[in-house]
């Protein structure tokens, strides 16, 4: 019998490929997309430009960005059968299930669906970035009883998203803050959903299958669903003065506090820092509910940092402060994880395209710890 190999549970600490798309420095709390720090991009760029950056690994010229924005705008409308499915399911089904099914259906009307060359995958990526935002907005709009609002190609990606969601032209400040949220969620190296998309693509399946896998993976509360869970917790806490008792009891019961902790960051997630700052800036104009949620979030953050942040390396992650920001924008909790998907799609596509350039089927090993050559007992003798 050979010695048992070292098992890397959850593939923790395992490198499976190399890439210049994203650097997550979990020790120093730094994040870079294609070499640009997240602070630089959040302060100077926008989601559309970041999509171009991730797919091409360089910033666009003004004319390249203009062409890219027009391509995104021209791909927004959804096929009739996808709209029908959203209209049938949005009110009665989990929104991530609707999104996963709708994205899978997009393959049927995509003329490039069966072509797995890189130019075709780039075209599909642009369509997916554009159409996933439309699916999410349509889900929200249908659920609110407004039906499918057709896209407006004269608007930018985020402005149009809010327009399709609410049926009215959004305020500039809402577009700006949601753009930042999309930008901050656009990419994060080999996180669980990106990895699952790459695993699917590595079998030489196809782009729609890979992105569908990624959406299914993002759904879980340990990954994309944490922002919903964090806001639910803030609502359960109810008032800032109840925060300490709630968190202390949860920790004593060995419960995880959603929106804290990260596989890679063992310090403050730099995206959480930016979102926290935006949330604090909103305080002057926010309504009572958002101010209350913000105060609960700040009290929980302080306590968690003091209690287990420094000692156990469990700090706020990108999901912790998102809920109050989305609440300020009037976005319902059930859309948080779908919005995460609409933000992360450029990252998924960029990694899938890059991995396919030097594809190697991903197939790790599992160490067998059972017995061998067991006697088969006929069913009437067991
Ligand atoms: N609250 C309290 N304790 C925590 C938390 C938390 N949020 N996160 C980790 N811990 C504790 C664990 O209980 C465990 O303690 P133990 O060693 O005494 O058993 C220890 O820290 C290690 O935790 P693991 O879950 O084993 O670490 P892992 O690297 O697998 O987990 C994860 C990372 C899944 C993100 C975890 O921190 C977690 O569940 N956080 C809450 C969910 C969350 O916010 N997810 C979003 C992540 S960001 C993103 O996906 C966009």
């Amino acid at each position: 019998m050979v010695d048992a190999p070292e098992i890397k549970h959850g593939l923790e600490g395992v490198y499976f490929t190399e890439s210049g798309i994203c650097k997550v420095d979990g020790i120093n709390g730094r994040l870079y997309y294609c070499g640009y720090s997240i602070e630089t991009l959040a302060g100077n760029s926008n989601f559309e430009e970041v999509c171009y950056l991730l797919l091409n690994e360089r910033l666009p010229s003004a004319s390249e960005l203009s062409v890219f924005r027009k391509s995104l705008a021209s791909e927004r409308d959804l096929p009739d059968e996808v709209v029908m499915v959203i209209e049938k399911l949005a009110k009665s089904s989990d929104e991530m299930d609707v999104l996963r099914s709708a994205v899978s259906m997009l393959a049927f009307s995509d003329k490039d669906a069966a072509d797995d060359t890189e130019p075709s995958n780039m075209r599909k990526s642009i369509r997916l970035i554009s159409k996933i935002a439309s699916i999410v907005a349509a889900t929200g709009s249908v659920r609110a009883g407004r039906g499918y609002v057709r896209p407006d190609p004269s608007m930018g990606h985020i402005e149009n998203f809010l327009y399709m969601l609410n049926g009215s032209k959004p305020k500039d400040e809402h577009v700006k803050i949601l753009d930042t949220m999309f930008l901050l969620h656009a990419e994060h190296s080999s996180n669980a959903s990106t990895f699952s998309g790459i695993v699917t693509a590595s079998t030489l399946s196809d782009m729609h299958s890979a992105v569908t896998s990624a959406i299914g993976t993002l759904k879980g509360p340990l990954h994309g669903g944490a922002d919903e869970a964090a806001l639910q917790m803030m609502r359960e806490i109810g008032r800032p003065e109840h925060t300490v008792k709630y968190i202390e009891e949860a920790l004593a019961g060995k419960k995880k506090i959603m929106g804290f902790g990260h596989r890679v960051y063992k310090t403050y997630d730099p995206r959480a820092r930016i979102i926290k700052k935006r949330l604090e800036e909103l305080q002057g104009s926010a309504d009572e509910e958002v101010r209350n949620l913000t105060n609960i979030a700040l009290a929980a953050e302080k306590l968690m940092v003091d209690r287990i942040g420094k000692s156990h390396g469990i700090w706020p992650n990108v999901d912790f402060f998102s809920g109050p920001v989305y609440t300020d924008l009037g976005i319902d909790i059930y859309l948080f994880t779908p919005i995460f998907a609409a933000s992360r799609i450029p990252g998924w596509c960029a990694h899938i395209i890059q991995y396919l350039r030097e594809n190697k089927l991903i197939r790790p090993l599992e160490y067998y710890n059972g017995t061998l050559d067991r006697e088969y007992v006929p069913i009437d003798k067991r």
Side-chain angles (χ1 to χ4, degrees), residues 12 185 188 191 218 221-224 226 251 254-264 266 269 271 304 308 312 314 317-319 340 344:
E12 188 164 5
H185 287 83
H188 212 236
N191 59 91
L218 187 73
L222 295 189
H223 188 14
L251 291 177
K254 296 266 171 222
K255 279 199 196 138
K256 280 187 173 173
I257 309 298
M258 293 293 148
F260 285 85
H262 198 275
R263 174 60 62 80
V264 184
K266 297 304 165 200
D269 180 333
R271 302 165 298 174
M304 285 292 285
I308 56 175
H312 292 75
I314 295 166
N317 61 49
V318 66
D319 286 325
F340 194 156
R344 183 55 59 84

Side-chain angles (χ1 to χ4, degrees), residues 25-38:
D25 175 350
I27 303 299
N28 298 303
R30 304 302 311 274
L31 169 64
Y32 302 84
Y33 296 170
C34 303
Y36 297 96
S37 79
I38 198 67

Side-chain angles (χ1 to χ4, degrees), residues 68 101 135 143 157 169 181 205 285 302 309 315 336 354:
F68 186 73
S101 307
I135 292 168
R143 209 160 146 156
H157 186 74
K169 193 172 160 48
M181 297 299 282
S205 175
S285 58
K302 184 173 182 319
W315 296 80
F336 291 4
Q354 182 178 72

